[in-house]
Amino acid sequence: MIKIETLKQKKDKLLNIDELTEILGISEMSVYRMRYKGELQPKAKWGGKNYWDGTEVMDYCIKRGVIKEESTLTI
């Protein structure tokens, strides 16, 4: 299950693999499968680690229909 609140908090930040797997509720291998398929590419690489943009992760989840766009809006 996706942690939408955590994703909204980290929307404008870079997420490492541990944060990304926790937020999406999937394994590291699944994240890297998405990367190799070209679905969700890392934004930066630093110190031998990949970092994904929180906004791009949210857009990817909306595009795939995993979360609704209305749930990402803040009131």
Side-chain angles (χ1 to χ4, degrees):
M1 183 171 187
I2 294 182
K3 298 180 179 177
I4 297 171
E5 292 301 318
T6 308
L7 184 57
K8 286 189 333 188
Q9 290 173 355
K10 297 187 179 204
K11 181 179 176 184
D12 298 325
K13 298 180 182 177
L14 292 176
L15 307 171
N16 64 25
I17 188 71
D18 295 328
E19 293 171 324
L20 190 59
T21 57
E22 181 183 333
I23 289 170
L24 297 179
I26 58 176
S27 68
E28 284 184 25
M29 193 60 168
S30 295
V31 172
Y32 284 112
R33 277 190 203 112
M34 290 188 300
R35 177 180 169 230
Y36 291 128
K37 288 181 181 178
E39 295 176 0
L40 189 59
Q41 295 296 323
K43 183 75 169 180
K45 186 166 191 159
W46 185 69
K49 295 182 181 182
N50 292 314
Y51 293 89
W52 286 262
D53 182 33
T55 306
E56 290 179 9
V57 172
M58 186 175 289
D59 292 342
Y60 173 77
C61 291
I62 291 169
K63 184 178 91 173
R64 297 287 298 198
V66 179
I67 59 175
K68 294 182 181 180
E69 191 169 359
E70 298 83 33
S71 64
T72 61
L73 301 174
T74 55
I75 299 175

